Amino acid sequence: MRATLPLVLALLTVTGCSMIPDYETPDRPVPVTIGQDTDDAADPILPDWQHLFPDPHLRALVESALTNNRDLELALLDVAEARALYGIERSALAPEFNVNADGTRQRLPADLSGNGNSTISSQYSVGLGMAAYELDLFGRVRSLSESALQTYLGTEEAARSARITLISEVANAYLLLLADQQKLAISEETLKAQQASAELVQRRYRAGLSSELAVRQAEIALETARTNRASFRRQVALDRNALSVLIGGPVPEIPKTRVMEPAVALLSEVPESLSASVLTRRPDIRRAEHALRAANASIGAARAAFFPAITLTGSAGTASADLSGLFDGGSGAWSFSPGIRVPIFNAGRLEANLDVAEIRSEKAVIDYEKAIQTAFQEVADGLAARRYLRQQERAQAALVRASQRSLNLAEIRFDSGADDYLAVLDARRELLNARQALVEVKRQKLTNRITLYRALGGGEGATAES
């Protein structure tokens, strides 16, 4: 035992070689700048979501979602599962020791004892045993451990991505609810105006100043306004239901805030030209790179499988035929069983495993490049949309003002008898559509800011665990 123990310890401390290929991050298959092509592409740091949203109602909704959303809970459980699996793989790097205590009593009949008499024998033992431990001479176990580590890190990034997406979805759902509430308020204002107009036309008809056709047109406009109001009431109810699912509970009463800046949302202005390096902050890009590293490590494990595998099994303790003599002098016992497994013939299984690992690594490279391209498009689309939404908002606001003037003129001409009531109806309908469209453009403008927040990987606090 004295001669064997140093040999065992020496073997346990052997540092094996690694078969993992050298890792190189693939080149980004996108232009070096996003947005306008300038020489001063920026690399901005966004604020965390608490500073992004000054609206206390929205912050409360996000906090509720981060606590109660079921999809986020599943993502966090995926992280915990991957962490545990990594612990299992990493444990294989160290030998496993167990304390074993055994006792056996056996009776042999006379015809089997060899001396013509039946015998009863006993054997007891206590020892420290080492299970079959693989010496990682060629890095197979370390490669599997590295692959599990990268998989675990990838699930962490996936959870961060789910968190950022959830924050964005809650903000967008909140903006949609506010916009539809504002549209509902506009439809109610229109309904009141149509009711007043219908009463006016009715009085003019009784006085012989209007035709029955004008009365019927006013009634049609009034019922149309009621229909629009019911439609927006339904949409507001659906918006609240969708928001309820996101936050994992009932939606509190939300004031009928107008969709205006900065009362509802505030996001630091992103420069018109960005460096493509900002994409590497996105959790989905980091997750794709961890997947690439995991696939790369799997190649090392597949390569190491071609080489011999050495395992060690041993135990040391005491043994005796009597339980009372288990710890007496001279009762020491030990065993040491090294083993080696050399692959000779496996019908091409090892080669096929290596081919699979290399193909998966190539697929991981493509997935990484595709993720970079998708991220580039999302940020570029957000920057382009921001520019044109500003123009659209200005034009739509001008259209509302022009429609309001047109309605005023139409009402004056109708009151003076210079025009029929159809002109008033057309002008009021155009004003209603213009006001609703302006609310929608403002919502899209704010939604675009949220989209840029998500597309750029969230703010400083977006990746913190809830």
Side-chain angles (χ1 to χ4, degrees):
M1 179 65 178
R2 293 178 180 176
T4 306
L5 183 58
L7 175 61
V8 174
L9 295 176
L11 289 173
L12 292 178
T13 56
V14 169
T15 301
C17 61
S18 175
M19 298 290 176
I20 301 177
D22 294 335
Y23 176 78
E24 294 182 2
T25 302
D27 295 332
R28 294 189 292 265
V30 294
V32 295
T33 59
I34 312 174
Q36 295 182 358
D37 190 9
T38 62
D39 296 332
D40 56 347
D43 190 357
I45 300 295
L46 300 181
D48 57 22
W49 69 265
Q50 290 92 340
H51 294 89
L52 182 72
F53 306 134
D55 187 340
H57 301 287
L58 177 53
R59 286 203 300 266
L61 291 173
V62 172
E63 289 284 3
S64 177
L66 294 178
T67 303
N68 302 315
N69 183 266
R70 302 302 184 266
D71 290 333
L72 184 58
E73 288 180 1
L74 288 175
L76 294 176
L77 288 175
D78 287 340
V79 174
E81 180 184 6
R83 185 189 298 120
L85 290 174
Y86 167 59
I88 293 173
E89 289 292 347
R90 184 172 177 77
S91 67
L93 291 171
E96 178 182 348
F97 294 96
N98 300 288
V99 175
N100 301 309
D102 298 301
T104 303
R105 285 181 61 83
Q106 178 178 339
R107 178 185 183 280
L108 289 177
D111 59 345
L112 295 178
S113 64
N115 57 12
N117 299 315
S118 62
T119 61
I120 296 177
S121 61
S122 303
Q123 180 176 339
Y124 303 93
S125 65
V126 175
L128 177 66
M130 180 179 66
Y133 169 66
E134 179 178 347
L135 291 179
D136 197 24
L137 300 178
F138 302 100
R140 188 188 74 87
V141 179
R142 284 196 305 281
S143 296
L144 292 175
S145 177
E146 175 66 17
S147 178
L149 172 62
Q150 295 301 327
T151 300
Y152 157 57
L153 296 176
T155 58
E156 279 197 329
E157 297 299 342
R160 293 188 179 102
S161 181
R163 177 185 172 89
I164 294 172
T165 299
L166 177 61
I167 293 172
S168 302
E169 288 180 347
V170 172
N172 286 331
Y174 179 72
L175 292 176
L176 182 60
L177 175 59
L178 293 187
D180 285 339
Q181 285 185 163
Q182 189 171 343
K183 292 176 182 178
L184 173 59
I186 293 173
S187 68
E188 289 174 342
E189 293 174 8
T190 303
L191 175 59
K192 291 179 181 178
Q194 292 291 7
Q195 287 174 332
S197 293
E199 293 172 359
L200 174 62
V201 172
Q202 191 67 247
R203 288 195 300 269
R204 288 173 60 89
Y205 172 68
R206 287 195 295 265
L209 300 176
S210 293
S211 65
E212 183 181 356
L213 177 60
V215 174
R216 302 307 170 215
Q217 289 172 336
E219 290 176 350
I220 292 173
L222 178 60
E223 297 306 322
T224 301
R226 286 198 177 100
T227 300
N228 289 336
R229 183 183 63 175
S231 176
F232 282 112
R233 282 178 173 175
R234 176 180 61 85
Q235 190 58 51
V236 167
L238 295 179
D239 294 342
R240 292 182 66 87
N241 291 339
L243 191 54
S244 175
V245 172
L246 287 174
I247 68 174
V251 179
E253 189 63 31
I254 297 176
K256 295 181 180 180
T257 308
R258 299 181 64 193
V259 184
M260 300 293 290
E261 303 172 57
V264 174
L266 176 65
L267 179 61
S268 300
E269 285 295 331
V270 176
E272 295 291 340
S273 180
L274 299 173
S275 170
S277 62
V278 300
L279 301 178
T280 58
R281 297 180 192 159
R282 288 174 48 130
D284 59 332
I285 301 299
R286 294 198 292 263
R287 184 205 59 78
E289 185 166 5
H290 284 305
L292 180 55
R293 289 179 179 271
N296 198 56
S298 296
I299 294 178
R303 287 176 175 177
F306 286 89
F307 294 86
I310 299 176
T311 57
L312 303 178
T313 302
S315 65
T318 64
S320 174
D322 298 315
L323 185 61
S324 59
L326 194 60
F327 297 100
D328 292 345
S331 63
W334 60 269
S335 67
F336 177 61
S337 304
I340 184 171
R341 184 182 74 253
V342 180
I344 296 177
F345 175 75
N346 48 65
R349 178 176 56 83
L350 297 180
E351 289 85 353
N353 284 337
L354 179 58
D355 289 342
V356 169
E358 291 176 342
I359 291 171
R360 287 177 177 172
S361 179
E362 293 176 5
K363 291 171 64 177
V365 171
I366 295 175
D367 286 340
Y368 175 81
E369 293 174 342
K370 182 179 178 181
I372 288 284
Q373 291 175 334
T374 300
F376 181 91
Q377 180 183 359
E378 289 178 354
V379 176
D381 287 349
L383 292 176
R386 183 180 65 177
R387 291 194 298 271
Y388 297 120
L389 282 170
R390 291 170 181 166
Q391 301 174 13
Q392 187 176 352
E393 183 184 21
R394 289 193 296 267
Q396 193 65 42
L399 178 59
V400 170
R401 292 191 296 269
S403 299
Q404 183 64 63
R405 289 195 299 270
S406 175
L407 175 60
N408 295 339
L409 292 174
E411 289 176 339
I412 292 173
R413 290 177 60 81
F414 174 70
D415 291 339
S416 64
D419 210 340
D420 58 19
Y421 190 66
L422 185 58
V424 176
L425 294 179
D426 289 340
R428 182 168 287 129
R429 182 172 57 253
E430 290 175 358
L431 177 60
L432 171 63
N433 293 336
R435 292 181 67 190
Q436 303 280 25
L438 180 59
V439 173
E440 182 61 22
V441 171
K442 289 182 178 294
R443 184 192 70 82
Q444 290 177 2
K445 183 180 176 182
L446 295 178
T447 297
N448 175 255
R449 293 190 171 192
I450 307 304
T451 300
L452 277 174
Y453 162 83
R454 184 192 61 78
L456 291 173
E460 294 176 350
T463 58
E465 291 186 1
S466 58

